[in-house]
Amino acid sequence: MNTTRRLVDTAALLLMMVGTLWGFGLLGSPVNQTNGGALSAEATLLAPSTTAFSIWSVIYLLLVAYVVWVWTPSGGRSRRAASLGWLPAASMVLNGAWLAITQAGGLWLSVVDIAALALVLGLLMRRLMVRRPAGTLEALLLDGTFGLYLGWVTVATCANVTAAAVASGANLGRVGNTVAAVVVLVVAAALGVTFSRVYRGAGGVAAAMVWGLGWIAHGRLAVGPHNTVVGVVAALSALVVLAAFLRLWWRAESLRGSNELDGAVAAN
């Protein structure tokens, strides 16, 4: 990886962190208080409980670790990291931009931004699948970091779209709103299953999606707005994503064990 790429990644990280401070209310209003509270944990049927957003702390720490790592000799030599091009920097810029956009009150523009972020992360993960990680550290800082990032942003996109629609006055009535939320959750579960297959059972993606869907379930069943149907479907969606990942992981482990056994037999 060349020095220019490292500098751009570092600058993008700093820009994102400024946006994060803004979003946490240190340089402006907290995100959940902007746009009339449209992005709060109780604003819509697809808003995760407040605790769910703590996953951002993990993602940010991993992104910092990733940027530090690319400046090390091993990170600089990583062919997988080099293959990502400008995508990591783009993801961090879009992340910081989302926080600035929501502060400015542009809810629908924030939907465009987070959708672009999800697309960038999807492309990034696709590139990571071309080569296997060189070691545990590389797997953690690339697959783990951007897998968690993609999984959470996928769930957050669903919540963001719903928040923008509700804030714009969309209201289908209790039954209609419930049906719409269920449809979105089914789509999210289908995406989780697809990601597990396309990204060879990437654990980070599944973990973040299970986390997000689980906290949506908690919000509808224990916090509010209460909706038993949406809460149960969200919980089932989380289980479907988890089951899909575990199934593919178990198949991969079984195949690896079979290959090792065949190798041992051949050697004897």
Side-chain angles (χ1 to χ4, degrees):
M1 181 185 296
N2 60 40
T3 301
T4 301
R5 273 278 317 282
R6 292 166 170 166
L7 289 171
V8 171
D9 281 349
T10 303
L13 175 68
L14 293 174
L15 179 63
M16 183 190 72
M17 296 311 293
V18 171
T20 301
L21 293 175
W22 198 358
F24 283 165
L26 298 179
L27 300 177
S29 301
V31 171
N32 61 356
Q33 294 177 17
T34 62
N35 301 281
L39 296 168
S40 70
E42 298 182 22
T44 72
L45 293 178
L46 292 180
S49 293
T50 302
T51 305
F53 298 94
S54 62
I55 194 174
W56 275 122
S57 298
V58 179
I59 293 171
Y60 289 151
L61 285 172
L62 286 170
L63 285 170
V64 170
Y66 159 76
V67 171
V68 171
W69 175 70
V70 298
W71 284 98
T72 67
S74 62
R77 290 192 302 268
S78 171
R79 296 178 64 192
R80 295 179 83 224
S83 73
L84 299 180
W86 307 104
L87 293 176
S91 76
M92 289 183 275
V93 170
L94 287 168
N95 190 326
W98 184 90
L99 291 160
I101 290 167
T102 55
Q103 288 287 337
L107 263 181
W108 280 111
L109 185 55
S110 75
V111 169
V112 175
D113 182 277
I114 201 169
L117 174 55
L119 177 61
V120 166
L121 291 171
L123 292 172
L124 189 156
M125 287 295 294
R126 188 68 174 176
R127 290 189 185 182
L128 286 178
M129 294 302 104
V130 175
R131 298 182 180 89
R132 294 193 175 278
T136 302
L137 182 61
E138 182 178 286
L140 172 64
L141 295 180
L142 294 181
D143 304 79
T145 299
F146 295 106
L148 278 177
Y149 202 176
L150 173 61
W152 172 249
V153 166
T154 300
V155 175
T157 300
C158 297
N160 200 164
V161 171
T162 306
V166 171
S168 298
N171 189 344
L172 304 176
R174 181 170 177 80
V175 173
N177 290 339
T178 298
V179 171
V182 166
V183 169
V184 174
L185 288 169
V186 170
V187 171
L191 285 173
V193 172
T194 301
F195 289 158
S196 290
R197 292 176 177 172
V198 172
Y199 303 134
R200 293 199 298 264
V205 180
M209 292 197 70
V210 169
W211 173 267
L213 292 168
W215 283 108
I216 291 175
H218 177 268
R220 301 299 73 77
L221 297 174
V223 180
H226 295 283
N227 189 306
T228 302
V229 173
V230 174
V232 170
V233 172
L236 290 174
S237 297
L239 290 174
V240 166
V241 174
L242 178 61
F245 165 72
L246 291 176
R247 179 172 178 270
L248 290 169
W249 175 82
W250 179 257
R251 180 184 297 176
E253 288 298 308
S254 298
L255 181 61
R256 184 178 297 114
S258 177
N259 289 338
E260 289 176 355
L261 180 60
D262 289 344
V265 170
N268 291 330

